[in-house]
Amino acid sequence: MAKILVVEDEALLARKVKDWLVHEKYIVELVANGEDALGLLETYEYDAVVLDWMLPGLSGLEVLKRFRAGGGTTPIIMLTGLAEIEEKEIGLDTGADDYLTKPFAPKELSARIRALLRRPREFTGNQLIAGNLVFEVEANRVLKDGEEIQLLPLERALLEFFMRHPNQVFNQEAILDRVWKSDTFSSTDVVRTYVKTLRRKIDTQGQESKIRTVFGVGYKFEP
């Protein structure tokens, strides 16, 4: 049974959404502000999040930004009264997986949740964000502290792989299989070399590397 976090400050709508999703056999937790939502997302695992854009205090968009920046990959549907295409673009580019404009039919919400739950559990939006790093997928460029950094094609591919799989440990053979083309004859030594050069370009002096070596196992990307 999937566990859904609903973040909505309009009491009547929040109760309506919760009652409907419970009727649809989901486990539902309900909060009314961004601070509580972010605290729960940082502490517990959810299968999907229904997140209102306009919240008291910390906005839904800011919750989304911080959650994605911390490596969170849980599917998120944004709820909003904003219908302008520019607002939708902002939400989707920030990391929302779907977008539903108020008012909406409860059946449409549950259909969208079912669609999200069928997707692989990794973020596939237009931006991948990890702290001071932003990978603009469509533009195929990487920003560090707002400035573009120059990466070789395989360095970008390796970084994208890491950013799409935060906090997961991969050995060198697995990385070679997932990042390098199948018709190449590279060894695991080339993985070590590219990890080393990538660290030099993305890390900040005086801070620990985002690409952590797990001795005897492999590597883990920690946003």
Side-chain angles (χ1 to χ4, degrees):
M1 187 178 293
K3 186 176 181 181
I4 312 295
L5 176 64
V6 176
V7 189
E8 172 60 63
D9 65 318
E10 295 180 31
L12 187 61
L13 177 59
R15 175 54 58 183
K16 181 179 179 181
V17 169
K18 180 177 180 179
D19 289 348
W20 173 259
L21 293 179
V22 169
H23 172 73
E24 292 281 282
K25 309 302 182 186
Y26 293 110
I27 299 170
V28 181
E29 291 189 9
L30 179 63
V31 293
N33 62 75
E35 289 82 359
D36 288 346
L38 195 58
L40 289 174
L41 286 169
E42 291 173 345
T43 307
Y44 302 105
E45 286 287 331
Y46 296 90
D47 295 291
V49 181
V50 179
L51 177 63
D52 187 31
W53 182 298
M54 301 297 291
L55 293 170
L58 199 64
S59 72
L61 186 64
E62 187 61 30
V63 172
L64 176 63
K65 286 180 180 179
R66 296 188 188 184
F67 182 57
R68 293 298 189 220
T73 60
T74 304
I76 294 178
I77 298 176
M78 296 291 292
L79 295 183
T80 180
L82 303 172
E84 292 81 3
I85 189 63
E86 292 82 5
E87 302 293 348
K88 292 184 179 182
E89 287 180 338
I90 291 172
L92 293 171
D93 287 344
T94 302
D97 297 271
D98 204 352
Y99 201 105
L100 200 53
T101 303
K102 302 175 185 177
F104 55 87
K107 285 187 176 181
E108 182 179 4
L109 174 61
S110 53
R112 289 173 183 259
I113 289 174
R114 288 194 299 270
L116 288 183
L117 295 178
R118 290 194 294 266
R119 294 183 187 178
R121 283 296 301 271
E122 59 183 53
F123 173 50
T124 57
N126 292 324
Q127 284 188 338
L128 301 167
I129 304 173
N132 63 339
L133 291 179
V134 177
F135 196 123
E136 297 182 343
V137 178
E138 291 186 357
N140 198 27
R141 67 173 189 160
V142 178
L143 307 178
K144 176 183 176 183
D145 296 319
E147 299 290 332
E148 184 174 2
I149 58 176
Q150 299 302 316
L151 299 178
L152 298 173
L154 272 173
E155 290 173 339
R156 281 198 301 272
L158 180 60
L159 178 60
E160 182 176 359
F161 171 76
F162 278 134
M163 292 181 77
R164 288 190 184 276
H165 300 86
N167 302 308
Q168 299 180 46
V169 179
F170 295 93
N171 61 32
Q172 292 160 359
E173 291 81 5
I175 295 172
L176 195 62
D177 289 341
R178 301 286 290 275
V179 178
W180 273 256
K181 293 181 178 179
S182 58
D183 58 354
T184 61
F185 296 95
S186 300
S187 69
T188 54
D189 289 337
V190 77
V191 175
R192 286 193 290 269
T193 298
Y194 270 89
V195 167
K196 183 177 180 180
T197 60
L198 182 59
R199 279 172 169 160
R200 285 203 298 264
K201 294 181 179 182
I202 69 171
D203 288 347
T204 301
Q205 188 174 5
Q207 297 182 10
E208 292 186 7
S209 176
K210 289 181 174 64
I211 305 175
R212 176 187 166 196
T213 299
V214 182
F215 292 102
V217 182
Y219 300 103
K220 178 169 69 168
F221 186 78
E222 294 186 337

